[in-house]
Amino acid sequence: MGEQQHVKFPQEVIDEYAALGVDLPALFSAGHLGTRMGVQILEASAERVVGTMPVEGNTQPYGLLHGGASAVLAETLGSIGSMLHGGSSKIAVGVDLNCTHHRGVRSGVVTGVATPVHRGRTTATYEIVITDESDKRVCTARLTCLLRDVNPGDEEIIRSAS
């Protein structure tokens, strides 16, 4: 996903994952879908995740930012926050995503900021606010993730993702 090495993570989180041989910037991305859509993660902690996405290439037939593109950005940011909240012993799996689209955007870059609404032992819910370059709200989303224990086969999948 571009320049992922510039993501700001809390040092204790970097240390926790490094001990497992996991590259956080590679793990906390939208994967191949995010690469195609140009999603970039700028800042990541359990308290706040910030990312951007270009409008160009992510539009619907009328030339507006596609609502599904906003959903991809929102789910990516909320999932990263949930994963960081759960720690290295948990995997975050999205179970509910709700998006309200407030205004259309035709160009530029949108920025999403995910902040926690609830952080429990088995679920985490984040509100994600997506704004345009004029700081006007484009979309408000809410994502709930199930936090499940890492199973024996999951470690290899996590390592190979990074």
Side-chain angles (χ1 to χ4, degrees), residues 21-157:
V22 175
D23 175 16
L24 275 176
L27 178 61
F28 294 125
S29 71
H32 297 293
L33 177 59
T35 298
R36 283 194 307 268
M37 297 182 72
V39 173
Q40 296 214 2
I41 308 304
L42 306 178
E43 175 187 334
S45 72
E47 292 76 31
R48 178 179 155 96
V49 182
V50 180
T52 62
M53 181 180 66
V55 173
E56 184 178 342
N58 294 314
T59 58
Q60 38 87 310
Y62 297 118
L64 299 170
L65 177 64
H66 195 291
S70 293
V72 167
L73 179 59
E75 184 151 357
T76 299
L77 300 178
S79 293
I80 291 170
S82 296
M83 198 67 174
L84 289 170
H85 164 65
S88 60
S89 66
K90 299 281 187 179
I91 291 180
V93 180
V95 295
D96 182 64
L97 176 65
N98 175 280
C99 298
T100 301
H101 306 286
H102 305 292
R103 68 182 322 111
V105 181
R106 291 188 180 278
S107 63
V109 173
V110 292
T111 300
V113 178
T115 54
V117 174
H118 166 77
R119 292 187 295 170
R121 287 180 294 120
T122 58
T123 63
T125 301
Y126 280 75
E127 178 184 59
I128 305 94
V129 174
I130 300 173
T131 57
D132 64 14
E133 292 177 327
S134 299
D135 206 31
K136 292 181 179 172
R137 192 176 291 224
V138 173
C139 176
T140 303
R142 186 192 68 246
L143 173 71
T144 298
C145 287
L146 171 69
L147 301 175
R148 72 164 180 82
D149 291 334
V150 173
N151 294 323
D154 293 334
E155 285 106 349
E156 188 56 38
I157 294 168

